[in-house]
Amino acid sequence: MSEKKIKNSLVEGPITPEKIATSIAHHQVKTNIGGHDIFLGQVRADVIDGKTVTAIEYSAYDEMANKVFDEIREAAFDKFDLTCGHIYHSIGIVKAGELCLFVFTSSKHRAMAFDATRYITEEIKAKVPVFGKEIFDDETHQWKVNN
Amino acid sequence: MTLKLKYFGMTAEASGKDEELLDNNYSSVKELKADLLAKYPNLLEINFKVAVNQEIVNDDYKLSGNEEIALLPPFAGG
């Protein structure tokens, strides 16, 4: 079995705009990059049967989730000509309007970054064991299911 | 030999627990699932997947030792 150290892609609480800004700043030294693309997932205040979602509490099968995030990232590097690729997903409470997913790809040219971001985001939704408890304004809940 | 069962979200609610240890008296995932569905009938309502040692497997998967089994409810990432 490989002893490769797997990166932790799970972030406690919402992903802050400051984290995103810092991450962008860190790439300014990489002058072979010609284009970045970013996808940000944000928690929606859906209204279901008259009740409003106020937050999602995310949980995960942490070890497997990080392994799958890593596999998705590696597959993206195989498929697309990327310089960098980063994935961060929230765990714990994220309120409506706050960010829960940050996918950040960089390449020499825009097309590869656009395609890779979409690929990574769709793969995350389908394959990563992250679970979401949608908490309503009356403190009841239901479990979110990706389609 | 012992199986370590892990439950998440809907499957944790249905079983009333996050984890449990079970003697591995099962030859396949299918046998284990039948037993769990009898023990926790609320699992019948849930479209869950089974992961063995962090890989999703089908019902024919042979259980052979001290495996970690996770009952994964529908994913909601992103």
Side-chain angles (χ1 to χ4, degrees):
Chain A
M1 224 160 107
S2 145
E3 291 297 311
K4 180 171 169 254
K5 176 102 171 72
I6 290 181
K7 195 171 177 300
N8 181 21
S9 297
L10 297 168
V11 176
E12 187 63 40
I15 291 158
T16 62
E18 291 75 18
K19 180 179 177 66
I20 295 158
T22 305
S23 191
I24 294 168
H26 285 159
H27 288 75
Q28 296 193 319
V29 292
K30 300 190 180 186
T31 49
N32 55 340
I33 292 172
H36 302 290
D37 191 37
I38 286 174
F39 177 81
L40 300 173
Q42 175 166 305
V43 172
R44 263 193 329 266
D46 278 353
V47 178
I48 301 160
D49 297 332
K51 300 188 290 189
T52 305
V53 173
T54 58
I56 296 180
E57 184 178 10
Y58 288 102
S59 57
Y61 183 9
D62 293 21
E63 304 87 343
M64 181 176 164
N66 277 315
K67 194 167 74 108
V68 180
F69 279 129
D70 191 64
E71 287 166 1
I72 292 170
R73 190 175 164 279
E74 291 295 319
F77 271 89
D78 287 344
K79 281 172 123 47
F80 307 101
D81 187 14
L82 293 182
T83 313
C84 283
H86 302 279
I87 303 170
Y88 298 99
H89 197 294
S90 293
I91 211 77
I93 298 269
V94 182
K95 292 183 197 140
E98 292 180 333
L99 301 172
C100 55
L101 174 63
F102 173 27
V103 176
F104 184 15
T105 65
S106 312
S107 186
K108 279 199 170 69
H109 303 288
R110 66 190 179 283
M112 284 287 161
F114 287 147
D115 291 350
T117 300
R118 181 171 193 133
Y119 169 81
I120 291 170
T121 305
E122 298 296 342
E123 288 285 285
I124 290 170
K125 292 204 168 248
K127 293 187 178 166
V128 183
V130 168
F131 317 105
K133 187 184 199 177
E134 292 179 313
I135 300 167
F136 295 111
D137 45 4
D138 66 353
E139 292 177 15
T140 58
H141 71 267
Q142 72 169 22
W143 292 93
K144 179 175 177 258
V145 175
N146 283 347
N147 19 350
Chain B
M1 288 183 292
T2 309
L3 297 178
K4 183 179 185 184
L5 276 285
K6 289 173 85 83
Y7 303 92
F8 298 91
M10 279 186 243
T11 64
E13 280 187 352
S15 67
K17 55 191 71 167
D18 296 325
E19 270 187 30
E20 68 179 321
L21 298 175
L22 287 183
D23 288 337
N24 188 357
N25 298 319
Y26 308 98
S27 65
S28 66
V29 165
K30 189 177 179 178
E31 281 184 19
L32 171 65
K33 267 171 82 172
D35 216 15
L36 293 174
L37 290 169
K39 195 166 155 191
Y40 309 119
N42 288 339
L43 286 175
L44 289 163
E45 311 289 318
I46 303 163
N47 182 20
F48 65 88
K49 291 180 177 147
V50 176
V52 176
N53 296 336
Q54 304 174 13
E55 297 283 345
I56 290 172
V57 299
N58 62 31
D59 285 3
D60 298 329
Y61 187 91
K62 302 288 177 218
L63 294 171
S64 55
N66 298 307
E67 284 128 336
E68 180 172 289
I69 315 276
L71 266 59
L72 303 175
F75 300 162

